[in-house]
Amino acid sequence: MISGTTLTAIILGSLGLAIILATELLYRIHTRRVSRRRDATFAAHKDIYRKTSVIASFESLDRYWQMAGDMLLAPPMWPRRTSEKTLILIGLVGGLATGLTFYFILSLPGIAAIIVAPVVMIILPRILDREAQNRETDKFVEVLPDAVDMLVRMLRAGLPLSSAVSRVGEEASFPASAVFTEVAEWLDVGVPLGDAFLLVNNRLKQNDFEFFGVSLSVQNTSGGNLTDTLDSLSMIIRERILSGLKARSVSAEARMTANIITSLPVLLFVGIQVIAPGYLLPLVDGRNGYGLITYALASFALGVFVIRNMINRLNVG
């Protein structure tokens, strides 16, 4: 039996979590509404047509999908290769499959399946979307030196800086083309050069791109040999990329070891449940079992944090 103190703690924790989720959902819905109003204000001329009941129903369904995407997914830094609908459907299928696996294959109590399935539905789309966004960011960092070199060649050919930025947006490879096109659009509406790069980097949050924008802004304001500065910056970015690749190569064994160690408890738990389904049930029958589970999860999380922190602190000169 669960004691009154434990039950009160569970209720208060659930209430606090519900308040946090509701606040986050309302904030994202408000942000999306403001963005839609802004887009509608500055949108190009569109054909006006009479909405039929079928079109209206589909638009209403799309609105629900967008609300679900606002709740489950973080605002994207790059255009999504996978749509919000697909990510949400993957989360639903993954959560349902996890719940069925917990209940029928692992023979765990139904309450465990009921708790884990929604968690997977919420976390899985966010993980997939974050990994896709991180891949696009890594690709942008890789092509940024080439875009800088292209900008240097255009400046040496005599093009003004704003025109050179616009041409890089047209000719560079994605995702650098999208970034420089966005900077050129800000410049076209009269935003100063430094502010344009700052506005774009507020979304990207890339140190190399921020340093690139600051260098352009300082040189454009105070004068100097801009092409030599950009050549040096391109070389520095390439050296940083090379150092990162060296670090990943040196830490490959440690990262693989960390992945194996962190996966062992999960694999051991699944193996025991498949071989002897009732062997671990005493853990959920009393207070001592819940304490052991809490201690094991806390130790597991602490170990993962320490291992990841050790790997991330590795520097290669």
Side-chain angles (χ1 to χ4, degrees), residues 39-156:
D39 296 339
T41 303
F42 296 99
H45 297 287
K46 295 181 180 179
D47 295 332
I48 300 175
Y49 59 92
R50 183 174 178 272
K51 296 181 180 179
T52 63
S53 59
V54 177
I55 296 177
S57 63
F58 275 110
E59 289 185 351
S60 177
L61 183 60
D62 289 337
R63 187 160 57 248
Y64 289 120
W65 280 112
Q66 291 174 354
M67 291 177 60
D70 292 340
M71 182 175 62
L72 295 178
L73 303 176
M77 293 185 297
W78 307 101
R80 290 191 175 101
R81 303 292 182 107
T82 305
S83 64
E84 294 180 355
K85 295 180 182 179
T86 304
L87 291 172
I88 295 172
L89 288 176
I90 291 175
L92 293 174
V93 173
L96 181 61
T98 303
L100 295 176
T101 301
F102 268 53
Y103 187 73
F104 291 103
I105 298 179
L106 301 180
S107 302
L108 292 175
I111 186 64
I114 293 174
I115 293 175
V116 172
V119 173
V120 174
M121 291 180 184
I122 295 173
I123 294 179
L124 184 59
R126 293 182 67 92
I127 293 177
L128 296 177
D129 184 54
R130 185 181 61 183
E131 291 297 325
Q133 294 293 314
N134 290 339
R135 286 195 298 268
E136 295 294 338
T137 301
D138 294 339
K139 186 177 179 181
F140 170 71
V141 175
E142 291 177 0
V143 301
L144 180 58
D146 296 332
V148 175
D149 292 340
M150 185 183 300
L151 182 64
V152 170
R153 291 193 296 269
M154 292 180 180
L155 291 175
R156 286 175 175 167

Side-chain angles (χ1 to χ4, degrees), residues 153-274:
R153 291 193 296 269
M154 292 180 180
L155 291 175
R156 286 175 175 167
L159 287 178
L161 184 57
S162 57
S163 300
V165 171
S166 178
R167 290 293 299 273
V168 171
E170 296 174 358
E171 300 180 8
S173 58
F174 185 85
S177 59
V179 174
F180 280 87
T181 299
E182 186 175 352
V183 174
E185 291 174 353
W186 284 111
L187 294 176
D188 290 339
V189 297
V191 177
L193 182 66
D195 294 339
F197 278 94
L198 179 62
L199 288 170
V200 177
N201 194 65
N202 286 337
R203 181 174 56 83
L204 299 181
K205 296 179 175 62
Q206 277 297 312
N207 295 329
D208 293 330
F209 186 73
E210 181 180 6
F211 186 53
F212 169 63
V214 171
S215 301
L216 284 179
S217 178
V218 171
Q219 291 290 332
N220 189 47
T221 303
S222 61
N225 196 335
L226 179 58
T227 55
D228 289 344
T229 301
L230 294 182
D231 278 335
S232 301
L233 177 61
S234 176
M235 183 179 64
I236 291 173
I237 296 175
R238 284 190 167 89
E239 290 178 352
R240 283 170 54 88
I241 295 174
L242 182 60
S243 298
L245 294 176
K246 288 181 179 179
R248 290 184 61 85
S249 176
V250 172
S251 63
E253 183 179 356
R255 287 186 287 109
M256 182 173 291
T257 303
N259 293 332
I260 294 174
I261 292 175
T262 54
S263 63
L264 279 178
V266 179
L267 296 177
L268 182 62
F269 172 77
V270 172
I272 292 176
Q273 282 299 113
V274 172

